[in-house]
């Protein structure tokens, strides 16, 4: 986790889900797994925080989908925005980095599940690339 404590605001496109998060944010990781491609329409950029640090201003459109035996995904049932990824039993929740207002000062540090990336794009940056989440 990035040791700098900060406060960031985030929301979906329709503002049915809006929140403030205070605390430590993990740097952003780009996930190229098939589930992220299917839920985001492309790879997904996620940061992560302790769930207890999320204060909702609104969550009236938040719905959860159990995407595997190991995790669930939160989304807005109005605008369709992909919001969260949460592993079963974890205190942390991953949040789509695109939901935060600028400047977020978040930094991307790596790519995961690169063997599953779609064939229409290349990963051309010099960030570390991993076959799975490490």
């Amino acid at each position: 986790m990035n040791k700098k404590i900060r406060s960031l605001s985030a929301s979906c496109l329709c503002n049915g889900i809006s929140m403030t998060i205070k605390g430590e944010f993990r740097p952003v990781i780009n996930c190229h797994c098939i589930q992220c491609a299917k839920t985001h329409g492309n790879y997904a950029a996620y940061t992560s925080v302790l769930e207890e640090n999320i204060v909702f201003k609104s969550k009236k459109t938040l719905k959860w989908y159990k995407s595997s035996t190991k995790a669930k995904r939160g989304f807005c049932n109005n605008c369709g925005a992909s919001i969260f990824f949460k592993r079963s039993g974890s205190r942390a929740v991953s949040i789509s980095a695109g939901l935060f207002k600028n400047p977020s000062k978040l930094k991307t540090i790596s790519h995961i599940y690169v063997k599953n990336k779609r064939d229409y794009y290349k990963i051309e940056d010099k960030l570390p690339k991993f076959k799975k989440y490490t």
Side-chain angles (χ1 to χ4, degrees):
M1 293 273 191
N2 183 341
K3 295 298 179 190
K4 186 174 180 183
I5 307 271
R6 63 178 87 166
S7 177
L8 293 176
S9 294
S11 66
C12 66
L13 187 60
C14 71
N15 284 313
I17 303 166
S18 62
M19 63 197 119
T20 300
I21 300 103
K22 292 184 180 182
E24 297 177 15
F25 291 75
R26 185 199 69 207
V28 174
I29 296 174
N30 293 334
C31 183
H32 300 268
C33 78
I34 189 66
Q35 284 194 12
C36 283
K38 297 280 185 180
T39 58
H40 288 263
N42 203 6
Y43 66 88
Y46 281 113
T47 184
S48 182
V49 298
L50 292 176
E51 191 170 17
E52 64 207 40
N53 292 344
I54 300 171
V55 177
F56 286 98
K57 297 175 194 170
S58 174
K59 62 178 180 175
K60 62 186 174 193
T61 59
L62 178 61
K63 297 294 180 199
W64 289 93
Y65 172 70
K66 187 168 172 64
S67 57
S68 73
T69 58
K70 298 178 184 178
K72 63 183 181 177
R73 294 173 182 272
F75 66 96
C76 176
N77 76 340
N78 186 49
C79 69
S82 181
I83 311 291
F84 298 119
F85 172 81
K86 182 158 183 2
R87 293 183 190 278
S88 301
S90 176
R91 291 181 51 222
V93 63
S94 295
I95 303 173
S96 294
L99 302 174
F100 294 102
K101 294 180 181 176
N102 278 335
S104 72
K105 298 186 181 177
L106 295 169
K107 302 290 183 211
T108 303
I109 60 165
S110 66
H111 298 271
I112 59 173
Y113 294 101
V114 295
K115 68 179 180 170
N116 300 110
K117 78 166 208 56
R118 310 293 74 186
D119 63 356
Y120 60 85
Y121 66 92
K122 293 180 182 178
I123 303 172
E124 297 184 313
D125 60 47
K126 296 187 183 334
L127 295 174
K129 296 162 188 68
F130 301 98
K131 291 182 180 178
K132 60 183 183 174
Y133 181 70
T134 55

